[in-house]
Amino acid sequence: MSVGRALVLLLALAACRDDMGEQNKDVAYDPSGVWSDGASTRPRVAGTVTRDAPLRVIALAEPPEVTPALLARGRERFEIFCAPCHGFDGTGDGRVVQRGFPRPPSYLSERLRAAPAAHFLSIIADGFGVMYPYGDRVEPADRWAIVAYIRALQLAGGDAPQPDPARAAVPVETPFPPADEAPE
Amino acid sequence: MAQDFEPRANTVARLILAGLVLMPLTFVGLGYALERSDYVTGQNETVEQPIPFSHAHHSGEIGIDCRYCHTSVEVSAKAGLPPTTTCMSCHSQLWTEAEMLAPVRESLSTGVRLKWEPVNELPDYVYFNHSVHVTNGIACTECHGSVGEMRLMRQAAPLTMDWCLDCHRDPVPYLQPPEMITYPYRTTSQMSEIDQAPLAEFYDIHPGGLTDCSTCHR
């Protein structure tokens, strides 16, 4: 009798499923059977105008006021997206170039000092030659910030500040020695 | 009349009594240990990917910032994984013949996206948000380990509820300054050299509601 009960209880255990953990809905990165490419995250339909599209046009139209905050933002974005190739000082010897990527022209050249801001804005958005576009990753307001920082680099003439530790790879001096430690 | 119990029966009875107490304890203990074992939490597991992408190479040695590839980490719940064009912004010119990168070139020409497999995954009933953490002083390495040393990505933290709560009860000792948030390495000396008190004020941390159930289960 009690053996029978135990077996029935065991059956109940077999019915345990992780329904809450794997809910019947699509979240980012979930596979989906509905779409032909099998992904539940959808690309934007061609020709879609986003709600903030007018704001982005306005942000690009007028140069923002140059403030320390704008330059700080510009420096951060520049070091994330441009410095790998153009270098922290803008001379064009970034780490990716040191490993064989074609060398871009120096920002410090006469020609690029004289180039208007629009030249830089359009290259960030649409790319240039072998350089890919960055418009999908650098917002209009940030494009202005980067251009302001490039102007600051041109004024500094190759005398750029030390990059943040987050962008300084191993061969460059790091504030802390790396050690193989997983967090508890 | 023969004796029902031999002299050693006393010992046996004691052992059984002790066993009655110890058995459940052992089972509970084993269950507890199993729940937290790497086998159940997935900690330290690596996952097979379409391309053996090395963070040690790209973040550690080349020093590419996390946000070059995980672009939305500061503004949305999801960090975001890089699309094919992000890889091609360098690999259109570099290692263009490498067998290892063939899937990237194929994805660019066919338009079929690369299928990166998830490494860190929470159950659907947990709400997690990257932006609130990385803009409030919690570095990537706090949760993802020393990414700059990983040839293959692995899950560095158990991602259990008590792991989240350990920090949410008092996040102040875990805070780092803004420029260290995407630093690819992690060491203990790193944390002890930082004075967290001014950072708590800078980030305006209020742990008050952080342990409410509705913070993470909404």
Side-chain angles (χ1 to χ4, degrees):
Chain A
M1 184 62 209
S2 63
V3 175
R5 270 188 208 157
L7 279 179
V8 169
L9 281 177
L10 265 178
L11 266 181
L13 208 75
C16 276
R17 283 185 305 153
D18 195 15
D19 277 348
M20 286 291 282
E22 293 283 342
Q23 290 169 27
N24 210 351
K25 67 180 183 191
D26 282 344
V27 296
Y29 307 131
D30 272 359
S32 157
V34 180
W35 311 96
S36 59
D37 65 355
S40 48
T41 309
R42 306 310 310 150
R44 210 175 274 159
V45 176
T48 311
V49 179
T50 58
R51 264 200 300 180
D52 63 351
L55 292 177
R56 296 159 68 90
V57 174
I58 294 169
L60 271 180
E62 287 286 324
E65 197 188 332
V66 178
T67 59
L70 184 84
L71 283 174
R73 176 78 181 173
R75 176 180 168 194
E76 186 190 65
R77 296 292 119 175
F78 177 85
E79 289 182 353
I80 295 170
F81 292 110
C82 318
C85 298
H86 288 273
F88 290 104
D89 55 4
T91 52
D93 67 341
R95 293 213 186 81
V96 178
V97 172
Q98 288 163 17
R99 285 170 172 76
F101 200 86
R103 186 180 176 126
S106 168
Y107 290 152
L108 308 180
S109 68
E110 281 308 316
R111 183 174 62 85
L112 283 174
R113 281 177 198 267
H119 182 60
F120 295 92
L121 288 176
S122 75
I123 286 175
I124 298 175
D126 305 324
F128 182 83
V130 296
M131 175 183 148
Y132 265 53
Y134 286 80
D136 57 343
R137 282 179 279 165
V138 183
E139 289 295 314
D142 288 340
R143 292 176 210 166
W144 278 114
I146 288 178
V147 175
Y149 186 67
I150 291 177
R151 291 293 187 226
L153 284 178
Q154 290 174 339
L155 282 176
D159 214 9
Q162 272 291 309
D164 272 346
R167 264 86 65 190
V170 192
V172 177
E173 229 175 285
T174 51
F176 312 103
D180 200 12
E181 282 172 36
E184 308 80 57
Chain B
M1 193 174 105
Q3 288 208 318
D4 275 345
F5 297 105
E6 293 174 26
R8 68 189 165 100
N10 274 342
T11 325
V12 172
R14 281 202 194 96
L15 281 178
I16 288 175
L17 278 177
L20 277 179
V21 177
L22 286 178
M23 277 255 280
L25 281 180
T26 319
F27 277 125
V28 170
L30 274 179
Y32 189 86
L34 185 70
E35 269 291 287
R36 275 150 191 76
S37 69
D38 290 2
Y39 176 71
V40 170
T41 63
Q43 191 173 0
N44 291 324
E45 240 171 57
T46 55
V47 175
E48 182 141 353
Q49 300 287 1
I51 301 157
F53 177 81
S54 164
H55 280 80
H57 224 102
H58 291 86
S59 328
E61 286 164 33
I62 311 176
I64 309 170
D65 194 283
C66 312
R67 291 163 287 185
Y68 189 98
C69 295
H70 305 297
T71 317
S72 59
V73 73
E74 291 168 310
V75 290
S76 92
K78 288 283 169 188
L81 290 173
T84 308
T85 48
T86 298
C87 307
M88 284 310 271
S89 66
C90 293
H91 290 293
S92 61
Q93 303 292 325
L94 276 178
W95 287 51
T96 48
E97 303 295 320
E99 190 54 39
M100 232 193 279
L101 281 158
V104 180
R105 296 190 294 269
E106 192 185 309
S107 159
L108 189 80
S109 58
T110 59
V112 177
R113 63 183 97 186
L114 289 167
K115 202 169 169 301
W116 301 114
E117 297 294 335
V119 179
N120 298 273
E121 225 181 352
L122 290 171
D124 284 353
Y125 54 77
V126 181
Y127 173 77
F128 179 77
N129 190 315
H130 271 98
S131 65
V132 73
H133 290 96
V134 298
T135 56
N136 278 294
I138 309 297
C140 310
T141 51
E142 194 60 54
C143 304
H144 293 305
S146 209
V147 168
E149 291 168 86
M150 295 182 190
R151 300 235 149 258
L152 289 175
M153 179 52 63
R154 60 185 157 79
Q155 182 185 323
L159 304 184
T160 52
M161 177 161 139
D162 58 353
W163 174 76
C164 307
L165 289 177
D166 272 346
C167 178
H168 274 212
R169 287 198 190 94
D170 180 19
V172 176
Y174 300 91
L175 298 180
Q176 298 199 38
E179 70 274 10
M180 294 298 288
I181 298 300
T182 54
Y183 184 62
Y185 300 107
R186 183 196 154 80
T187 64
T188 25
S189 58
Q190 177 181 333
M191 294 310 282
S192 59
E193 277 178 33
I194 299 170
D195 180 12
Q196 271 97 5
L199 287 176
E201 211 156 293
F202 173 77
Y203 291 117
D204 196 19
I205 300 291
H206 296 289
L210 278 185
T211 51
D212 293 353
C213 315
S214 60
T215 301
C216 308
H217 306 296
R218 38 177 95 180

